[in-house]
């Protein structure tokens, strides 16, 4: 399930702070720009309702889920809301195993090789390298030499259209995009402009 979305455009929209009243127009403009993976962090206002609405709008065409998932009950809540992706800031094996047991996609955050291998052993589908500002492209290159080649490394934190090249050259397979894509208060039109800039930057890197 995950690979088809990564192949289309391996950029995850992180909609931290989005409200249930704006999620649908923002989700639609992201879809129109080519995005197929979207997460609503659970520290957003009424995140489960936003996931319900986003899933109703795009769930048959996109991978929709939650970010900042840290507890087992939250995994169950997201699944009940229709989410199919669980993104965490950390690599708790219990959260990963609960995610996989529920039939969802697991994208835990890791910051060391030990955490990366532990997350994979627990069943993680991809690895969220967080925070990317701290790790940098040099670390990604070193990890890429030892981690299974089929595992996508997705840096998150401080990613912009202008700094993607170094990460991709080092072995990144995509990115999680936060405030450079969406910040609370942005209109759908603003988000659309940012989304198109990221999508165009990715396509230019792969030519």
């Amino acid at each position: 399930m995950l690979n088809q979305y990564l192949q289309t455009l391996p950029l995850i929209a992180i909609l931290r702070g989005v409200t249930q009243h704006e999620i649908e127009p923002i989700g639609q403009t992201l879809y129109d720009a080519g995005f197929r993976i979207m997460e609503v962090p659970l520290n957003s206002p009424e995140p489960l309702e936003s996931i319900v609405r986003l899933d109703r709008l795009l769930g048959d065409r996109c991978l929709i889920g939650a970010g900042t998932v840290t507890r087992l009950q939250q995994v169950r809540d997201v699944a009940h809301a229709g989410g199919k992706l669980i993104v965490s800031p950390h690599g708790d094996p219990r959260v990963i195993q609960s995610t996989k047991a529920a039939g969802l996609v697991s994208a835990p955050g890791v910051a060391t090789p030990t955490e990366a291998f532990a997350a994979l052993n627990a069943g993680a589908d991809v690895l969220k390298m967080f925070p990317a500002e701290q790790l940098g492209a040099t670390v990604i290159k070193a990890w890429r030499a030892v981690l299974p080649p089929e595992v996508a490394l997705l840096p998150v934190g401080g990613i912009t259209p202008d700094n993607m090249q170094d990460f991709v050259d080092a072995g990144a397979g995509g990115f999680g995009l936060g405030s450079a894509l969406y910040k609370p208060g942005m209109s759908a039109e603003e988000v659309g402009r940012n989304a198109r800039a990221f999508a165009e930057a990715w396509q230019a890197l792969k030519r």
Side-chain angles (χ1 to χ4, degrees):
M1 176 170 59
L2 174 63
N3 286 339
Q4 70 184 75
Y5 299 110
L6 290 175
Q7 289 169 5
T8 300
L9 184 69
L11 304 178
I12 302 175
I14 302 170
L15 303 175
R16 190 179 309 280
V18 72
T19 70
Q20 59 183 302
H21 305 295
E22 60 187 349
I23 188 64
E24 289 162 307
I26 287 174
Q28 186 63 55
T29 199
L30 286 167
Y31 180 85
D32 293 342
F35 279 67
R36 297 295 182 269
I37 311 175
M38 306 175 199
E39 66 160 274
V40 178
L42 292 185
N43 53 2
S44 304
E46 300 295 336
L48 296 175
E49 177 59 27
S50 290
I51 291 170
V52 167
R53 296 188 182 197
L54 195 56
D55 177 63
R56 189 166 54 214
L57 177 69
L58 296 169
D60 59 337
R61 292 169 285 166
C62 295
L63 183 61
I64 307 299
T68 319
V69 178
T70 59
R71 301 195 305 274
L72 303 186
Q73 183 59 49
Q74 292 173 331
V75 175
R76 293 188 283 270
D77 292 342
V78 172
H80 183 71
K84 296 178 178 64
L85 170 68
I86 298 293
V87 183
S88 300
H90 64 330
D92 186 337
R94 298 171 305 161
V95 172
I96 298 168
Q97 291 162 358
S98 177
T99 297
K100 298 310 297 176
L104 311 183
V105 174
S106 172
V110 295
T112 69
T114 298
E115 293 176 356
F117 279 106
L120 292 175
N121 288 338
D125 295 291
V126 297
L127 297 176
K128 165 187 169 180
M129 298 188 70
F130 176 77
E133 303 102 318
Q134 173 185 328
L135 296 170
T138 302
V139 170
I140 292 175
K141 184 176 181 180
W143 287 26
R144 192 73 280 172
V146 296
L147 288 169
E150 68 275 12
V151 175
L153 301 179
L154 307 177
V156 177
I159 304 300
T160 70
D162 296 328
N163 68 10
M164 294 165 66
Q165 180 76 64
D166 288 344
F167 289 102
V168 170
D169 289 346
F175 298 94
L177 308 174
S179 59
L181 175 67
Y182 168 82
K183 286 186 285 195
M186 279 186 176
S187 67
E189 290 75 18
E190 290 175 290
V191 177
R193 284 195 295 270
N194 291 339
R196 288 188 294 274
F198 272 110
E200 289 166 6
W202 176 264
Q203 297 302 335
L205 292 178
K206 306 312 289 183
R207 286 180 191 142

